[in-house]
Amino acid sequence: MQIRQHPLEFRVPPPVVDAACALLMWLLARAVPQWQLSCPDSWRWGLLLLWLAAGGGVALAGLLAFRRARTTPNPLRPQQASALVTGGIYRYTRNPMYLGMALALLGWACWLAHPLAFACIPLALAYLQRFQIRPEERILEQRFGEEFRRYRQRVRRWL
């Protein structure tokens, strides 16, 4: 059964979505500087580095799991997946690369210390959820059937 695809599905690479979100966060913080939260620079830098390291580690663990399984990490071509990766970090989250990018955005928001920057993160996640993750899962279910359905039941999408 062929399901009709929305025109935005798989159009914008997830790193581009997150880069656009990061730019929007910065622009909003610059546009309304009076809303910036009072936070010492040492805290801002510390939180930025903490969340960047955490996000980078989670995303890298996901990428390495794909490499070990010898399957494509290309988010724009999930139909080319040659294996369903369920080990390593994928025992805890079905989307470690997207989770890692979200944690990096959280670090950026902490560095900006601006409420509008924090408000942008759910927008990027909603876009990814609708136009990337759900379509990926639809294709993985078609490709791997019951194996993917069992995996989806035991492992959460995010955490």
Side-chain angles (χ1 to χ4, degrees):
M1 174 175 87
Q2 184 68 24
I3 296 176
R4 192 173 191 164
Q5 183 174 312
H6 189 282
L8 289 177
E9 289 180 8
F10 307 121
R11 293 286 178 215
V12 183
V16 173
V17 171
D18 286 345
C21 179
L23 176 62
L24 177 62
M25 293 162 76
W26 180 78
L27 290 171
L28 289 172
R30 299 275 299 194
V32 192
Q34 65 272 24
W35 288 8
Q36 185 170 16
L37 304 172
S38 177
C39 186
D41 284 350
S42 60
W43 278 90
R44 292 171 57 205
W45 279 108
L47 290 170
L48 170 68
L49 295 174
L50 171 77
W51 289 118
L52 282 179
V58 169
L60 182 60
L63 185 60
L64 291 175
F66 267 59
R67 294 285 184 221
R68 279 191 298 276
R70 292 191 170 103
T71 191
T72 180
N74 184 346
L76 302 182
R77 306 244 185 264
Q79 66 277 14
Q80 294 178 351
S82 59
L84 180 63
V85 181
T86 60
I89 190 88
Y90 286 90
R91 291 177 300 182
Y92 308 104
T93 174
R94 295 197 313 258
N95 296 290
M97 291 180 244
Y98 303 145
L99 176 59
M101 289 188 293
L103 293 175
L105 286 175
L106 178 59
W108 179 234
C110 289
W111 189 84
L112 292 170
H114 200 284
L116 293 177
F118 287 98
C120 290
I121 298 170
L123 299 176
L125 297 182
Y127 181 92
L128 288 173
Q129 183 98 348
R130 169 59 184 93
F131 298 113
Q132 188 66 42
I133 295 171
R134 285 187 184 152
E136 277 179 9
E137 290 182 344
R138 183 179 66 234
I139 289 171
L140 292 174
E141 184 171 6
Q142 290 171 352
R143 188 145 175 83
F144 299 105
E146 187 58 32
E147 182 183 6
F148 178 76
R149 285 189 288 278
R150 283 193 310 269
Y151 173 64
R152 184 178 57 205
Q153 285 179 337
R154 74 175 182 271
V155 177
R156 290 176 175 256
R157 186 176 278 155
W158 292 98
L159 279 180

